[in-house]
Amino acid sequence: MVRLLLCNSSLSPLSPPPPPKPAFVTPPIGKSIPTRKSDYWQKTPSISQALSSTLISLALSLGIFCASPSHSTALESVAPQQELICREYDDYADDKSTGEAVTNEEIVEEAWQIVNDSFLETGRQSWSPDSWLKKKEDVLGRSIQSRSRAHDIVRRMLASLGDPYTRFLPPTDFAKMARYDMSGIGINLREIPDDNGMPRLRVLGLLLEGPAHSAGIRQGDELLAVNGVDVKGKSAFEASSMLQGPSETFVDVTVKHGNCGSVQSVKVQRQSVAKSPVFYRLEQVKNGPSSVGYVRLKEFNALARKDLVTAMRRLQDMGASYFVLDLRDNLGGLVQAGIEIAKLFLDKGETVTYTVGRDPQSVKNIVAESSSLFSAPVIVLVNKNTASASEIVATALHDNCKAVLVGERTYGKGLIQSVFELNDGSGVVVTVGKYVTPNHMDINGNGVDPDFRNFPAWNEVARYLSACHKPQEG
């Protein structure tokens, strides 16, 4: 059983997963470290831990895939005596090696246990451990004769929770969710702690015949550098952004094969996996600043942060002194991309958002780690289809007095879902937390009201921001 995080990746609970891409070399399992069933019952990672490392690696795989390197140059090898004490990385063991040994009853109980340990009730229905235990006794009181029957029972169990975002995924749908490549070269990365607890970036998903696979990158390789820049200490999101670039261009990737193999530098040709979501232009405004930079962000994909930075820097060079960030009809996407974009406008230590789990003491705040990249006043345009990651960005800028909101009340989706794989390759999506704004407002079900319904005069914007009070931390 494996857990991954899906934070608000779509507006509708019934939205289809991303379009399928070529199959992975080995069966995909999720966004986090492959977890054996016996390990799961010990401890479920906190939301803050999951956010820090699992929002990006949308696909993992089982088993180490070894391919003969092509177009690669070996830089160094491990000495023979070193190999004697080197332990190969073994977190790729196939949990489903027992095949059909897993029973239908075990599948149902596994799904029940996940909800019991992780589910955050956010709707009108009341959920309690006692009522959920009664549910288990009811559904497991008799033999389950077929796998399809077991899946139907899980569907009904989850539906009884009254949460439209908590749902069952048959094996085919679960596999599709793992085929999203945000690196641009056909790999997915995951932060794996070494024996000393230091994070390392491992290749846990590999597209068959994709650019990285063809260049000789293997399942289980450790990513060491991108274009000569050491990735030590960087998140999977940051490293994936470094790998991105225009289609058909090349990127130099340095990897170490497993724990015991050689270090190699490979040149990989990027492929087109995501379109730029950014449109921008410079506008001249009467009765206001001479030049205003207009930037429309259509979705939060792998290119969003990098392309937004490029657009705003160009607009600044062209003379823009104010910015309009248009998030209308932006339904969200990669929430981590939204968080990273919000940080571009915030000062060190300012809160982007809070995450809240089932434990009232589990409130965590996500803050900017460095000074803001852009300090010019911003108008954020929102409407009823501004949702999820867009709402996180809008409230982060608004509550920290960096922007005013103009337009309509936003959609109001601030839930965090985790996706867990069951031992037969199916999965369950479970609501495990929610986002709260820096001003401690619950986004979900409420939306965010704008400061102005109609486009204000620029002197009104300046007056509003000068009178704004930043939230109290904590």
Side-chain angles (χ1 to χ4, degrees):
M1 189 284 307
V2 175
R3 179 175 189 248
L4 62 140
L5 207 64
L6 242 201
C7 301
N8 302 324
S9 60
S10 63
L11 176 61
S12 168
L14 300 179
S15 298
K21 292 179 181 288
F24 277 86
V25 172
T26 50
I29 59 175
K31 284 188 186 176
S32 59
I33 303 173
T35 307
R36 294 170 182 80
K37 186 175 180 179
S38 60
D39 296 334
Y40 170 75
W41 314 125
Q42 298 175 13
K43 183 179 179 182
T44 301
S46 69
I47 294 175
S48 60
Q49 290 171 326
L51 274 172
S52 67
S53 58
T54 61
L55 282 168
I56 307 310
S57 301
L58 293 171
L60 312 183
S61 300
L62 300 171
I64 296 180
F65 175 83
C66 296
S68 299
S70 61
H71 310 294
S72 61
T73 304
L75 297 182
E76 63 180 11
S77 299
V78 178
Q81 57 265 39
Q82 197 173 355
E83 292 180 359
L84 294 177
I85 60 173
C86 181
R87 291 182 293 107
E88 271 293 0
Y89 187 71
D90 61 1
D91 277 336
Y92 302 93
D94 191 341
D95 294 342
K96 290 178 276 298
S97 59
T98 55
E100 290 302 316
V102 60
T103 67
N104 298 322
E105 290 79 11
E106 286 173 335
I107 293 299
V108 174
E109 185 171 4
E110 189 179 11
W112 178 92
Q113 188 69 51
I114 290 168
V115 172
N116 189 65
D117 291 348
S118 306
F119 177 65
L120 176 68
E121 193 277 318
T122 59
R124 298 176 181 175
Q125 290 188 231
S126 176
W127 181 90
S128 71
D130 290 340
S131 63
W132 192 241
L133 180 60
K134 179 63 166 58
K135 177 72 67 176
K136 176 183 177 181
E137 294 169 350
D138 292 342
V139 299
L140 292 175
R142 63 182 71 87
S143 175
I144 303 174
Q145 299 299 319
S146 68
R147 188 54 51 87
S148 62
R149 172 68 175 162
H151 290 173
D152 286 341
I153 290 173
V154 173
R155 284 189 183 93
R156 290 200 299 272
M157 272 198 326
L158 300 182
S160 72
L161 297 170
D163 175 19
Y165 301 104
T166 295
R167 61 199 189 276
F168 173 76
L169 296 173
T172 51
D173 288 352
F174 186 90
K176 289 176 183 177
M177 297 185 71
R179 293 176 181 170
Y180 184 79
D181 165 37
M182 68 166 293
S183 71
I185 62 172
I187 64 173
N188 291 109
L189 299 172
R190 175 69 169 91
E191 297 161 33
I192 305 293
D194 61 17
D195 292 339
N196 298 319
M198 297 298 294
R200 296 176 180 272
L201 297 179
R202 296 276 183 178
V203 176
L204 295 187
L206 192 66
L207 290 176
L208 182 64
E209 303 303 331
H213 176 207
S214 299
I217 294 177
R218 306 170 185 174
Q219 190 85 19
D221 284 356
E222 179 185 350
L223 180 67
L224 301 179
V226 177
N227 286 330
V229 178
D230 191 349
V231 297
K232 183 178 180 180
K234 295 187 181 298
S235 68
F237 182 88
E238 291 173 304
S240 294
S241 297
M242 293 168 66
L243 291 168
Q244 278 280 357
S247 181
E248 310 304 323
T249 61
F250 287 87
V251 58
D252 290 316
V253 181
T254 304
V255 296
K256 181 180 181 182
H257 296 300
N259 277 348
C260 311
S262 62
V263 172
Q264 292 187 314
S265 178
V266 296
K267 186 179 289 292
V268 185
Q269 188 173 29
R270 298 178 174 105
Q271 61 184 7
S272 179
V273 294
K275 294 182 179 179
S276 175
V278 175
F279 169 83
Y280 68 95
R281 65 174 180 262
L282 188 71
E283 293 189 354
Q284 304 300 317
V285 180
K286 295 180 179 179
N287 302 320
S290 58
S291 298
V292 175
Y294 170 87
V295 182
R296 183 182 180 190
L297 185 57
K298 294 182 287 186
E299 65 173 323
F300 292 89
N301 66 13
L303 298 178
R305 182 190 184 281
K306 182 164 57 178
D307 287 1
L308 181 72
V309 170
T310 299
M312 293 191 65
R313 281 178 169 164
R314 288 178 179 174
L315 289 168
Q316 278 185 330
D317 291 342
M318 296 164 65
S321 53
Y322 280 68
F323 287 96
V324 173
L325 178 60
D326 192 347
L327 297 180
R328 291 175 298 180
D329 299 317
N330 185 325
L331 301 180
L334 294 173
V335 169
Q336 188 64 26
I339 289 171
E340 296 300 326
I341 283 174
K343 291 178 181 178
L344 297 173
F345 300 88
L346 304 184
D347 297 321
K348 184 176 181 179
E350 291 183 329
T351 296
V352 177
T353 188
Y354 294 98
T355 62
V356 180
R358 196 160 82 188
D359 180 358
Q361 305 303 315
S362 67
V363 176
K364 302 293 181 182
N365 65 323
I366 301 172
V367 302
E369 300 90 0
S370 57
S371 57
S372 61
L373 196 60
F374 303 106
S375 58
V378 180
I379 288 177
V380 179
L381 302 182
V382 297
N383 66 3
K384 62 182 180 181
N385 291 324
T386 299
S388 186
S390 293
E391 292 173 291
I392 292 174
V393 173
T395 55
L397 272 60
H398 174 269
D399 290 2
N400 286 288
C401 303
K402 309 296 184 183
V404 298
L405 306 184
V406 177
E408 304 173 306
R409 176 182 290 185
T410 63
Y411 181 83
K413 184 178 187 297
L415 296 180
I416 301 171
Q417 282 82 42
S418 279
V419 181
F420 301 81
E421 186 184 34
L422 304 180
N423 276 324
D424 68 342
S426 60
V428 291
V429 181
V430 179
T431 295
V432 298
K434 61 184 178 179
Y435 290 105
V436 176
T437 73
N439 278 336
H440 301 279
M441 191 192 83
D442 188 349
I443 296 174
N444 195 65
N446 300 310
V448 182
D449 284 319
D451 302 305
F452 301 92
R453 294 289 174 181
N454 299 311
F455 205 93
W458 286 102
N459 60 347
E460 290 183 87
V461 174
R463 187 162 54 247
Y464 186 95
L465 292 177
S466 65
C468 178
H469 297 285
K470 295 183 180 180
Q472 294 294 320
E473 295 300 323

